[in-house]
Amino acid sequence: MSDLFPIPSPADWRVLAEKALKDRPLESLVHLDADGLAIRPLYAAATGGQPVSAPRPSDADGRAWDVRTLVEGDDAAAVNAAVLADLEGGAASILLKGAVLADSEPLARALDGVALELAAVGLDAGLDGPEAANALAVSAKGSPRARLMFHMDPLSAFAETGAAPRAIDEHLMLAANTAARHAGAYPEASFFLAGGRVVHEAGGSIAQELGFAAANAAALVRAAVAAGMTAEAALKGTVLGVSLDQEYFDGLAKVRALRLMWRSLSRAFGFETPAVIEARSSRRMLAARDPWPNLLRLTAAGFAGAVGGADAVVLDGLSRANGRSDAFARRQARNTQAVLMEEAHLGRVDDPAAGSWFLDARTRDLAEAGWGEFQRIEGEGGLIVALRTGDIQDRVAAARAEREAALASGAAQLVGVTKFVDPDPRPAPFEAEPPRPAQTGGDACDPLIPVRLAAPFETQTWEAGR
């Protein structure tokens, strides 16, 4: 067999590559990402390191991963109808956002008919996370088997808005005390979401997002221990959050890298626990003028989460750049995951990326760069201090500027936005999103304002069409 199909050597490849490049040097095929990490044109045994293994620790009720749907709304009856439709349509768990989280009475009505022992329910309440957690705890009626995900993440909320009604240290301790109070009644619950998504959505690099998530987790666990929880309970009650865009190789390597980083972080606290990772689709990658190509981007993000080994994947609706997802958009998001899971069978292998020289090297590079960013934040005094001084914001701004420059110069492209632009796009339905009231008066920092990379080009296209 080897005589019929000889295995080419790196030297053989080099000869062919130099011939194809003509006058260009071979080094021109090496690219640097926003973190300064080299991406080479060829990976082989000679350039690879030790194999990386970062599989999911377990399945999600017989599924390869948890198909999680985001329901945003303010009217309890409408949210309840959407929740039940999504669960009947294939979702395994629910993530809630909106005014229904303000009190236990509307939240209980929104969850009417939902078996909390079977379908996990999570919250996205920002700085109001402790109040929403209390409301969810009341709605669960003390069931010790209720699968609650309080998802308290005050530091991400503070970083995004740049303001808080009280000192952010107090918000952090309030979240920790709330977790400690409910830990005994709800042993199946998770309490914190150590997210790095706020950095991604503001235009940051992968290492910056991973470092922020690790620093966020460290701050939450320390606060929980100070509130009376054991380090082991705090670690087990922490979910890690990342964003995934259309760059699926980087996305799946990011998820794997975060799992490796968590292994080291949990060891540092004295209890090595498996990471639980919730991956949400990127909003900075979405287009508003022509939302239909977003289906391709969202599919790529779902692919990255599935192959990368995320425990739960949340996909936005295709029209989310214009407003809240309606029933049609949420159904498309669910069906995308159903196809990836049931027809593409992406979950049949624990760690499909393992053994790829490129993906193993990329995973390790991102984990080391993310850990370096985490150590930098810790060296700056921790996440709260680094946000107040603006050190994190400065680094994110530099990464965002580099990405925007690449799009402006044509070195990077967005399908349907900068390339293959539809001159007469069709709109997609969405629901209006009410403005969020400002929460100010207690603390402040420079905000990590979410960006949408397509926005400048869409403005030019709209104006040109007038």
Side-chain angles (χ1 to χ4, degrees), residues 399-418:
R400 181 180 65 249
E402 182 178 337
R403 191 176 305 274
E404 291 171 340
L407 287 168
S409 68
Q413 300 288 346
L414 283 173
V415 174
V417 177
T418 64

Side-chain angles (χ1 to χ4, degrees), residues 431-453:
E431 296 177 356
E433 182 175 15
R436 291 184 297 178
Q439 294 180 301
T440 60
D443 210 336
C445 70
D446 293 332
L448 286 171
I449 300 173
V451 299
R452 206 167 49 77
L453 298 173

Side-chain angles (χ1 to χ4, degrees), residues 66-86:
D66 185 332
V67 177
R68 187 162 295 165
T69 183
L70 172 64
V71 178
E72 302 176 273
D74 306 315
D75 179 74
V79 170
N80 180 248
V83 165
L84 295 179
D86 283 2

